[in-house]
Amino acid sequence: MHFERWLNRSQPQTLYIATILFYASAVITVLTGGVASPLGLLFVALEVAAGLGIANERKWGYAIGVAVTGLAVALLALAVLTRPRLLFDVTVWIASVFPIARFALLVHPLSREYQRVWFR
């Protein structure tokens, strides 16, 4: 499949920033050694695919983005629920910023309406 762009500045700000956060999260995961596990490698691949799909206005990119972000938020919530002391751990707070922000940006009414009308 041919992708024309990595970023799409003509999209609403919510989708544009979500795309940047997908790429940033993938880079941070690679730099911190998260790709040593199969789950980390899968997350990186899905984040890059979601970023590319959203930038090129593909419905599958948006679906992958919502799914991988929802899974990341659910895994963080599960970790905190099973070990409540993690709620006071600064690294967990920092790690939760990107997934929560991405989820909020993707399910924002402006993003949902734009992808419903313009994505193929």
Side-chain angles (χ1 to χ4, degrees):
M1 176 163 281
H2 177 69
F3 295 107
E4 299 173 5
R5 59 185 94 175
W6 287 85
L7 292 172
N8 188 347
R9 293 182 186 216
S10 66
Q11 290 178 337
Q13 190 174 12
T14 53
L15 286 174
Y16 180 71
I17 294 171
T19 304
I20 292 171
L21 290 178
F22 275 119
Y23 297 140
S25 180
V27 168
I28 289 170
T29 303
V30 168
L31 292 178
T32 59
V35 293
S37 72
L39 185 61
L41 188 60
L42 179 65
F43 264 91
V44 167
L46 290 174
E47 287 171 343
V48 171
L52 280 171
I54 291 171
N56 289 283
E57 297 182 340
R58 305 283 193 229
K59 285 187 184 269
W60 58 262
Y62 182 80
I64 289 172
V66 171
V68 74
T69 301
L71 181 61
V73 170
L75 289 175
L76 280 166
L78 182 65
V80 169
L81 288 174
T82 57
R83 291 179 281 166
R85 63 179 163 74
L86 290 178
L87 191 57
F88 303 105
D89 189 356
V90 175
T91 57
V92 172
W93 282 89
I94 293 170
S96 66
V97 169
F98 277 5
I100 292 171
R102 277 194 329 241
F103 191 76
L105 290 167
L106 288 173
V107 300
H108 189 278
L110 186 62
S111 296
R112 290 175 45 220
E113 182 65 20
Y114 185 88
Q115 72 84 25
R116 186 184 66 77
V117 172
W118 294 105
F119 282 26
R120 321 180 269 287

